Amino acid sequence: MLEYPGQARARIRTRHPPYRMSADPISQALGAAFGLSRDGRHTEALAALDAIGTHAASDPRVQALRGRVLWQGGDAIGARAAIDAALALDPYCAPALVEDAALARSGGEIERAIGALTRLTTVVPQQPAFWFDLGVLSAEHGRPDQAHRAYTRVLALAPAHLEARFQRANLDAAAGRRAEAIADYRQCLALRPGWREALLNLGEMLLMDEQHAAAADVWQQAVQVDPQAPRTWDGLARAAKAATSSRKSSTRARSALASAVSRQPDRSPCGAQSPLGSHHFSPRPLPANQRLSPGHVEPGGNGARAAPGDGSGGRR
């Protein structure tokens, strides 16, 4: 079974940078209102937005931030009205699209959320975070091809984006594209040596690809990383057993098999181990508790910038 890091998920709206400060009075007012909302002072933030005056109704940035503040304050209906007003003024306003995607996601409007993210990737095509979030939602809701394209775009922009590479490898593994999955899992391990989930998935894919000696090596690394997990010993035993059965049997493979048989922990509820070699590999879908986050838009404009950590992976 494929492993998925528990924290490999999208992050719409969780790490907005400050408003861009400039001589533009509206941008300065937006920056002040955003700071108040970030501190949880929602009533004051709304008052600051109202103080902008007649320009507030015609500036999509103001309406987008109003929607954000209202949503944070628990007024989902008011938030939707404000965000819709922002998009009516400018369907391609990046801050409004971020808020639209997040609000739609929270309300279960997945098609709308994916649509907003798709539009964001046309408005800000060089922002890996938006492509990553589009990939997460697409994979989560049964669109593996769209997800694969999105993750590939992330990696074209940010080759060290570990989460995107791992999730693309999972999609390739599930589709039977073993060579591509193996290459990406290996790259994940180059970026993060000893990553347990990547070792487990790489070991499984090598076994399926009948690269038994290489699989045994990978499972030995997994055992070193997590020596108490029965699955790592089971994988090592399966790989070593397959390697010793082939014409390229080696002393190392026989030693690995002997070690796995003698040291495999007994963790089953009834105290009995399952027979070595009985493991069944079946990819499972992404976790259902993904949370969105393409939130790196500069709300003072239609641009975006990456926040620290965009290229990190798995657990934090």
Side-chain angles (χ1 to χ4, degrees):
M1 179 179 290
L2 285 176
E3 293 287 319
Y4 296 88
Q7 301 303 318
R9 48 186 70 160
R11 299 176 188 81
I12 277 185
R13 213 203 244 146
T14 61
R15 290 198 303 253
H16 278 268
Y19 273 51
R20 192 181 307 156
M21 300 303 292
S22 69
D24 175 9
I26 294 182
S27 292
Q28 291 183 338
L30 286 170
F34 180 81
L36 292 168
S37 72
R38 183 181 52 201
D39 295 337
R41 298 159 64 182
H42 303 134
T43 300
E44 294 172 72
L46 289 172
L49 290 173
D50 290 338
I52 294 176
T54 56
H55 295 288
S58 59
D59 193 317
R61 299 172 301 167
V62 177
Q63 296 301 325
L65 183 54
R66 184 183 301 280
R68 175 185 175 85
V69 175
L70 288 170
W71 188 72
Q72 289 176 331
D75 184 359
I77 296 176
R80 170 49 67 202
I83 294 168
D84 285 349
L87 292 172
L89 292 167
D90 180 1
Y92 293 93
C93 173
L97 288 169
V98 168
E99 303 305 333
D100 188 35
L103 185 61
R105 162 70 171 178
S106 68
E109 299 177 83
I110 302 304
E111 292 295 330
R112 179 163 185 157
I114 290 177
L117 286 170
T118 301
R119 195 177 301 172
L120 265 171
T121 61
T122 65
V123 175
V124 196
Q126 300 304 310
Q127 173 53 271
F130 298 143
W131 288 102
F132 179 76
D133 292 343
L134 178 59
V136 169
L137 264 191
S138 299
E140 182 182 328
H141 293 279
R143 301 180 180 183
D145 292 340
Q146 182 177 9
H148 195 280
R149 289 192 296 271
Y151 291 139
T152 297
R153 182 60 177 163
V154 173
L155 294 171
L157 296 168
H161 197 299
L162 191 58
E163 296 178 13
R165 191 167 297 280
F166 186 79
Q167 299 302 333
R168 187 177 73 170
N170 290 341
L171 290 173
D172 281 329
R177 296 185 290 265
R178 292 196 293 268
E180 291 86 346
I182 288 169
D184 267 344
Y185 287 137
R186 288 196 183 281
Q187 184 61 32
C188 286
L189 290 166
L191 293 168
R192 181 189 285 184
W195 188 13
R196 177 183 181 275
E197 287 82 0
L199 285 169
L200 295 180
N201 285 6
L202 177 57
E204 294 291 356
M205 295 310 298
L206 288 169
L207 272 175
M208 293 181 67
D209 206 43
E210 298 185 353
Q211 299 184 44
H212 302 137
D217 286 341
V218 169
W219 284 107
Q220 283 179 315
Q221 295 177 53
V223 165
Q224 292 173 359
V225 170
D226 192 358
Q228 298 304 312
R231 181 178 171 187
T232 60
W233 289 102
D234 175 71
L236 175 57
R238 288 183 289 118
K241 185 175 182 180
T244 56
S245 299
S246 71
R247 294 181 178 180
K248 297 180 180 180
S249 176
S250 65
T251 302
R252 183 177 58 186
R254 288 192 293 271
S255 174
L257 177 58
S259 176
V261 170
S262 64
R263 295 181 56 191
Q264 186 182 32
D266 181 358
R267 302 290 185 191
S268 63
C270 299
Q273 298 179 23
S274 60
L276 295 178
S278 63
H279 184 83
H280 176 65
F281 177 77
S282 59
R284 59 187 173 85
L286 287 167
N289 62 343
Q290 304 280 5
R291 56 184 171 81
L292 283 177
S293 78
H296 307 296
V297 165
E298 291 279 3
N302 271 5
R305 72 182 181 196
D310 279 347
S312 66
R315 297 179 176 127
R316 297 184 184 275

